[in-house]
Amino acid sequence: MDKLSVMHAFRRIVERGSFARAAEDLGVSPALLSREIKLLEESLGTTLLTRTTRSMSLTDAGRLYYDEASGILDAVAQTETRIREGAGAIRGHLKVNASSSFGQTVIAPMLPAFLEAYPDLRLTMSMDDRVVDMVEGGFDVSIRIRSVMPDSALVARKIGTMHQRIFAAPAYLRKMGTPATPQDIRQHRIIGFLLADHLTNWALHGPSGQASIDLDPPVRVGNSLVLRDLLIAGAGMGTLPDFVSKDAEATGALVRVLPNWELPAPEIYAVTASRLGMDARVTAFLDHLRAALQS
């Protein structure tokens, strides 16, 4: 027996003063309603309604049940209304996860404007290069950069594309020479990104097709900001995502190596745990993030 449904039916019967009229409102048969109320009375061990062929009235127990059931049903309706209204409001607690480099270079600069726009919002920003368990961590959204997202119960929405290119400092290239072909890369000191799919193989694509370069980087780091700083210092040659390389390239601290060649471009995904759609907090955050990616 669905107690809330039976409570709702009982209240409708009392308020309409008739099984037939209540059944019409609820889209069921009077016989079904009668059986449901009989089962309810049996479960409670008392009579709630006295019925004759011409009239129906509440017993004392029926009046008590009507009053208490009405309060419960009204409280449930009010709770559902508050939740629906809250789902569209930009308030509450938003928990976001992203990699360290993406969080520092893309998300952090946009946060002041985002928080100013939504002063009632609380934010927890976790930056971790590990792939976290969103459900266990209680995150509303995780920003992940992947060539392909693995199948899972999570929902991934593409919000951008990341380009990966080869960089070195001008001083390093003056000293060690500039590669003219992808094969020349093997003659250089490579600094590898420890967490990348391409740590030991660069699958480049360029004007003359594809080039696969096997590598054994003597220096490997797990943070692309550290990798960028090593490249700027002239410690070697390596690949960087565009959101990390942009400023260093603009100032001339780093230059593109083999500028017509790139690694495959992974996608930037916003990953959520719910298939019911994003709530207003996540939507607002991703709107600001898309604007930051386009700037």
Side-chain angles (χ1 to χ4, degrees), residues 27 43 49 60 84 100 121 135 139 167 199 222 260 275 287:
S43 72
L49 292 168
D60 289 343
R84 290 191 186 99
S100 298
L121 190 69
V135 177
F139 294 106
F167 289 92
L199 175 62
N260 294 322
R275 294 187 177 275
D287 286 344

Side-chain angles (χ1 to χ4, degrees), residues 67-278:
D67 291 340
E68 295 297 329
S70 295
I72 291 170
L73 292 170
D74 289 343
V76 169
Q78 290 169 7
T79 299
E80 291 178 343
T81 297
R82 286 199 299 270
I83 290 173
R84 290 191 186 99
E85 290 175 348
I90 316 298
R91 64 170 67 95
H93 192 182
L94 176 66
K95 295 188 69 177
V96 180
N97 169 260
S99 69
S100 298
S101 57
F102 189 88
Q104 292 180 58
T105 58
V106 179
I107 296 179
M110 65 160 243
L111 285 182
F114 174 68
L115 294 173
E116 183 178 0
Y118 305 109
D120 294 330
L121 190 69
R122 295 179 58 209
L123 175 70
T124 296
M125 181 74 222
S126 168
M127 288 180 281
D128 196 327
D129 290 318
R130 298 177 300 113
V131 176
V132 300
D133 185 321
M134 287 192 59
V135 177
E136 182 179 338
F139 294 106
D140 298 294
V141 61
S142 178
I143 307 303
R144 298 184 181 174
I145 301 173
R146 295 286 185 275
S147 297
V148 178
M149 284 297 297
D151 291 335
S152 73
L154 302 175
V155 182
R157 299 171 175 86
K158 177 184 170 183
I159 60 172
T161 300
M162 182 194 80
H163 294 282
Q164 298 184 101
R165 300 174 174 122
I166 308 168
F167 289 92
Y172 172 86
L173 295 175
R174 285 194 298 268
K175 179 180 179 181
M176 304 301 297
T178 300
T181 69
Q183 288 70 29
D184 294 341
I185 290 172
R186 295 190 181 96
Q187 310 304 317
H188 287 265
R189 180 179 175 83
I190 301 301
I191 302 176
F193 182 43
L194 193 58
L195 305 178
D197 295 336
H198 61 271
L199 175 62
T200 58
N201 178 272
W202 291 0
L204 302 172
H205 57 90
S208 58
Q210 307 292 322
S212 179
I213 312 299
D214 291 325
L215 300 166
D216 183 18
V219 180
R220 308 177 182 202
V221 296
N223 183 289
S224 58
L225 296 178
V226 175
L227 195 157
R228 177 201 61 191
D229 291 346
L230 287 171
L231 296 182
I232 291 173
M237 180 183 301
T239 64
L240 290 174
D242 49 9
F243 60 83
V244 172
S245 64
K246 181 172 62 175
D247 291 344
E249 186 179 10
T251 62
L254 291 175
V255 296
R256 291 260 323 256
V257 176
L258 298 171
N260 294 322
W261 294 82
E262 291 189 16
L263 282 83
E267 308 293 352
I268 304 171
Y269 293 96
V271 181
T272 58
S274 173
R275 294 187 177 275
L276 298 178
M278 298 181 294

